[in-house]
Amino acid sequence: MITRIIGTGSYLPEHIITNDDLAQIMDTSDEWIASRTGIRKRHLAKEETTAFMASEAARKALEDAGIGADKVDMIIVGTITGDYITPSAACQVQDKLGAVNAVAFDINAACAGFMYALHTAYAYLQTGIYKTALVLGAENLSKIMDWTDRSTCVLFGDGAGAALVQAFEEGSQWASEDETMGKTRGLLAFEQGSDGAKGMVLNCRGRQNNNPLIENPFVPSYVSMDGQEVYKFAVSTVPASIHRVLEKAGIGVEDIKYFVLHQANLRIIQSVAKRLKADVDKFPVSLDHCGNISAASVPVLLDEMNRKGMLKQGDKIVMSGFGGGLTWASAVIEW
Ligand code: ACO
């Protein structure tokens, strides 16, 4: 069975907030943010909901693949900022697309959410349970930021990215008209892990108990982060995860055309490149104009690369997500 990404899409909110805009409302500066993170601006949702952004990204992925929503068997959304606890963002996307034949659910793995969702879809597709999956990362992080905490709120943005993934038996009739089908091996290997013991270094508390036994009123919670611990986790775990996934795929760092990493921080990306002894030019960047969009960052960047024509049939690419949980996941794909 070959499982391949056959379409990508993304959606970024209309409103763009620059570092200078933030400096108008808090004690920060373009120089501080850009020099420490590489971020210059981010898109923030005003009217857009998580489900709206996700469904717009999904529509573009379906268009890119030339496939109708009725052909989608499953929808998985990696998100920590769904609009509702229930229904899931994935069920909302199903409804908005009219993807009536799809099973739909969300995955909570923070910034690794898209990669966890992709691995989950891969497992269903490889075993023949389903044939076509829409895999999304979608976040409306601005609603869980404390906009008085300059150490976190300047880092994040909102948006959604999608990949349409399809499986086929080698030699079988492909559902799409794309003539490159069957000429590439698609998703080659995955590696993922979790470390719940370090979960509190990047956290956002959910709803508290408010039954009649509770005396204290509900206190809203926002993203809270030990930035230096997250940095240490990322620069040690991500290169190790990439080495493991390359070993599983039976190829080396030198075989990889692009490393599509979660876009948390330019310094993390540069450090991972150095530790892998890979040319930093092989690490495309979107955080300069998107900020950190958690689960959406890998698929948004992948879609940007796809639309710029950077991805050629046969290119080998590593994708890697890492973040809250703590969680991480890497994959090797042949485009
Ligand atoms: N503007 C100006 N000054 C600021 C800002 C800001 N936005 N934020 C913090 N400061 C100040 C602090 O108050 C502190 O001042 P003080 O020395 O007077 O107390 C000073 O800058 C240094 O603060 P630190 O928190 O120590 O800043 P640090 O140098 O560690 O940089 C950063 C923070 C960029 C977040 C860094 O820790 C980092 O790169 N962390 C990696 C983790 C990351 O990127 N997380 C993103 C989300 S997690 C994920 O996606 C996996």
Side-chain angles (χ1 to χ4, degrees):
M1 193 75 84
I2 289 178
T3 300
R4 196 185 152 183
I5 294 177
I6 59 166
T8 63
S10 59
Y11 179 88
L12 295 170
E14 227 175 273
H15 294 276
I16 296 172
I17 305 294
T18 65
N19 293 344
D20 286 332
D21 293 333
L22 289 179
Q24 305 284 317
I25 56 167
M26 65 187 74
D27 183 14
T28 190
S29 65
D30 178 53
E31 194 281 321
W32 194 96
I33 301 169
S35 65
R36 280 170 181 77
T37 69
I39 297 165
R40 296 237 169 234
K41 51 190 172 182
R42 73 286 291 140
H43 294 250
L44 297 187
K46 205 169 167 189
E47 280 87 27
E48 296 108 328
T49 61
T50 302
F52 171 81
M53 295 189 285
S55 50
E56 289 304 296
R59 266 186 238 287
K60 290 178 193 162
L62 288 167
E63 259 172 46
D64 187 34
I67 285 203
D70 59 324
K71 295 281 189 305
V72 176
D73 302 314
M74 70 184 315
I75 300 170
I76 314 180
V77 181
T79 186
I80 54 167
T81 50
D83 305 309
Y84 297 88
I85 291 172
T86 189
S88 66
C91 282
Q92 290 182 281
V93 170
Q94 183 210 23
D95 178 42
K96 286 179 189 296
L97 297 178
V100 290
N101 299 313
V103 63
F105 59 92
D106 291 354
I107 282 185
N108 177 336
C111 306
F114 172 80
M115 296 304 300
Y116 269 53
L118 186 63
H119 198 175
T120 305
Y122 176 76
Y124 276 98
L125 268 47
Q126 280 296 113
T127 47
I129 296 172
Y130 298 123
K131 182 174 175 59
T132 305
L134 248 177
V135 182
L136 294 129
E139 300 288 10
N140 198 339
L141 294 164
S142 55
K143 70 183 178 190
I144 56 166
M145 288 301 132
D146 176 354
W147 289 94
T148 64
D149 176 8
R150 64 180 182 171
S151 66
T152 52
C153 70
V154 302
L155 305 173
F156 296 93
D158 301 328
L164 191 69
V165 187
Q166 202 167 54
F168 73 109
E169 306 266 4
E170 279 178 82
S172 71
Q173 181 69 38
W174 189 258
S176 150
E177 298 299 310
D178 185 340
E179 61 185 21
T180 68
M181 290 303 160
K183 293 181 182 161
T184 169
R185 292 180 295 151
L187 294 160
L188 297 180
F190 281 89
E191 195 280 333
Q192 64 186 153
S194 311
D195 184 1
K198 296 211 185 91
M200 286 303 123
V201 303
L202 179 52
N203 72 79
C204 180
R205 193 182 169 134
R207 292 179 76 155
Q208 287 162 262
N209 205 335
N210 67 348
N211 70 30
L213 301 170
I214 306 301
E215 283 173 16
N216 297 327
F218 170 70
V219 182
S221 167
Y222 300 101
V223 169
S224 157
M225 179 183 76
D226 180 336
Q228 284 162 18
E229 282 304 312
V230 174
Y231 184 89
K232 279 189 240 163
F233 153 71
V235 299
S236 59
T237 307
V238 176
S241 172
I242 291 175
H243 278 307
R244 283 195 293 271
V245 80
L246 287 172
E247 199 180 328
K248 282 189 183 176
I251 56 176
V253 168
E254 64 287 355
D255 299 313
I256 300 302
K257 176 115 182 249
Y258 295 114
F259 296 85
V260 182
L261 262 51
H262 166 51
Q263 303 284 297
N265 185 308
L266 193 57
R267 285 179 174 175
I268 292 177
I269 294 171
Q270 289 164 340
S271 173
V272 171
K274 199 169 164 196
R275 287 166 191 240
L276 289 173
K277 299 190 176 60
D279 185 347
V280 76
D281 292 343
K282 289 185 171 184
F283 291 70
V285 167
S286 60
L287 59 76
D288 55 334
H289 58 277
C290 296
N292 179 345
I293 30 179
S294 189
S297 75
V298 168
V300 165
L301 176 56
L302 191 71
D303 183 50
E304 285 187 10
M305 295 167 67
N306 190 20
R307 284 169 201 276
K308 283 180 190 159
M310 290 167 68
L311 302 170
K312 304 277 185 270
Q313 186 191 325
D315 284 349
K316 292 187 185 62
I317 293 154
V318 163
M319 298 190 287
S320 190
F322 50 93
L326 298 171
T327 55
W328 64 91
S330 303
V332 179
I333 63 173
E334 191 174 88
W335 195 254

